Amino acid sequence: MTEVELVNVFTHMGRGGNPCPIVIDASSLQAEGMQSVAERFGHESGFVLPSPGLDSDYVFRFWVPRHEMEMCGHATIGALWVLATKGRLAGEQVRIETRSGSVTGYVDRAGSGDPSVEISQPVGKVVDLSRADEEDVLSTLKLSRRDLLDLPIQNAVTSRVKTLIPMKGVRELNALVPDPSPIEACCGRIGSTGLYPYAIDHQAERRFEARQFPKSSGYPEDAATGIAAAALAFGLLKNELVERNSKQITIMQGRAMGALSEIQVRLGFADSRPVGCLLGGSVTRAEQHVL
């Protein structure tokens, strides 16, 4: 018997978000069993296992219907939220081992409301694409340079490489129609795990909008992608679209899917040098399943 908690992560005003199956006691599941959960629900899924040593509190694994992932931001946040609401959390600050490295989770249980969860991500690396790779991306999305801001297309990474595409506006962003096969091929050529077109919504308020077209997850679009939003935050910093401070950056995603979602990122600095970020958002419980 496997208990699966289905939650929505990065919700906006209690709606939207990315549906995520969570198993907080996955000790009895082998890899095939984890993948079958992801296949059954059709979403990125998170699995909590005990840590084998003293260096971490938990081991988290992540699966999409087609393969295992090194890291999944919304599944990490969702798993910590479920652990906290069930009284199973080791503490308010926990260390998690993932296949992409160590992640620190911060859970605030202040007041009687739902727990607030943020997770750490390392400092991002942002690299401009070559002219040939830019043309590849534009062709794949059926775009021209006129549809973009006067900024480069970039590969950015905190945990997984995402391709940042600076659209001229929110309307143009949400008019894009993804075609999964060419996107998968393009991502393979440029070394990316997903195309992440974005647009400025309200620059003074540090609010942006984005869409995620994953390379090979088994579905054409994500409603909310925390790892991509973290990568985007460092792209915004490099492109001078946000000032060098730790004020919240808000990234809206999922509007074109009818599942508007809200992702929050706070950049961290040491002597004005970026050293990482915190990624967070709201979580709501959907339903429980026993498989």
Side-chain angles (χ1 to χ4, degrees):
M1 302 280 282
T2 302
E3 288 190 3
V4 182
E5 291 276 355
L6 185 62
V7 296
N8 294 313
V9 184
F10 299 130
T11 55
H12 173 66
M13 301 179 67
R15 305 182 68 180
N18 210 340
C20 186
I22 299 292
V23 179
I24 63 169
D25 186 3
S27 301
S28 63
L29 291 178
Q30 301 299 315
E32 295 80 4
M34 297 181 194
Q35 185 171 8
S36 71
V37 171
E39 289 173 339
R40 179 185 178 111
F41 289 92
H43 300 296
E44 290 158 304
S45 304
F47 302 87
V48 179
L49 299 113
S51 173
L54 299 177
D55 293 338
S56 61
D57 297 292
Y58 305 100
V59 173
F60 284 9
R61 293 179 68 178
F62 312 99
W63 286 81
V64 291
R66 289 175 59 178
H67 59 83
E68 187 169 11
M69 298 168 60
E70 299 89 351
M71 174 62 190
C72 178
H74 72 273
T76 303
I77 290 171
L80 290 173
W81 187 90
V82 173
L83 285 165
T85 58
K86 289 183 172 293
R88 299 273 300 274
L89 198 64
E92 292 185 348
Q93 179 176 326
V94 295
R95 290 185 65 78
I96 303 153
E97 279 305 315
T98 75
R99 292 201 164 190
S100 73
S102 181
V103 172
T104 302
Y106 302 91
V107 181
D108 185 355
R109 295 301 307 263
S112 58
D114 284 339
S116 172
V117 180
E118 289 183 305
I119 62 171
S120 67
Q121 283 291 280
V123 64
K125 299 177 182 177
V126 184
V127 178
D128 296 357
L129 293 192
S130 68
R131 178 62 63 86
D133 284 348
E134 279 206 352
E135 291 300 325
D136 194 355
V137 171
L138 292 172
S139 175
T140 297
L141 293 179
K142 297 180 173 59
L143 294 171
S144 73
R145 251 290 161 192
R146 294 187 300 275
D147 299 309
L148 271 55
L149 297 173
D150 187 21
L151 292 168
I153 298 175
Q154 298 160 315
N155 273 357
V157 60
T158 60
S159 291
R160 306 176 75 223
V161 176
K162 301 296 179 181
T163 302
L164 312 180
I165 303 149
M167 301 295 297
K168 188 166 285 186
V170 171
R171 181 176 60 82
E172 291 84 357
L173 170 72
N174 287 307
L176 292 172
V177 179
D179 188 345
S181 293
I183 287 172
E184 180 173 0
C186 175
C187 285
R189 290 189 294 268
I190 65 175
S192 176
T193 66
L195 304 185
Y196 203 60
Y198 68 94
I200 299 168
D201 185 7
H202 197 301
Q203 189 169 358
E205 295 182 4
R206 297 164 69 96
R207 190 171 68 243
F208 301 84
E209 190 153 333
R211 295 175 71 182
Q212 148 87 350
F213 306 140
K215 176 186 176 184
S216 59
S217 295
Y219 38 81
E221 185 168 356
D222 275 326
T225 318
I227 296 305
L232 174 58
F234 288 99
L236 299 174
L237 182 67
K238 181 172 182 178
N239 295 331
E240 300 183 343
L241 294 177
V242 296
E243 295 180 359
R244 299 177 73 83
N245 61 50
S246 298
K247 292 180 181 178
Q248 179 177 297
I249 299 168
T250 300
I251 297 163
M252 309 301 292
Q253 191 179 322
R255 188 185 302 273
M257 301 172 64
L260 186 61
S261 309
E262 181 176 338
I263 307 166
Q264 298 157 4
V265 183
R266 293 190 293 148
L267 296 170
F269 297 88
D271 297 327
S272 78
R273 178 175 58 88
V275 293
C277 71
L278 290 177
L279 171 67
S282 299
V283 182
T284 61
R285 179 176 277 108
E287 56 196 33
Q288 184 181 69
H289 298 260
V290 178
L291 305 180

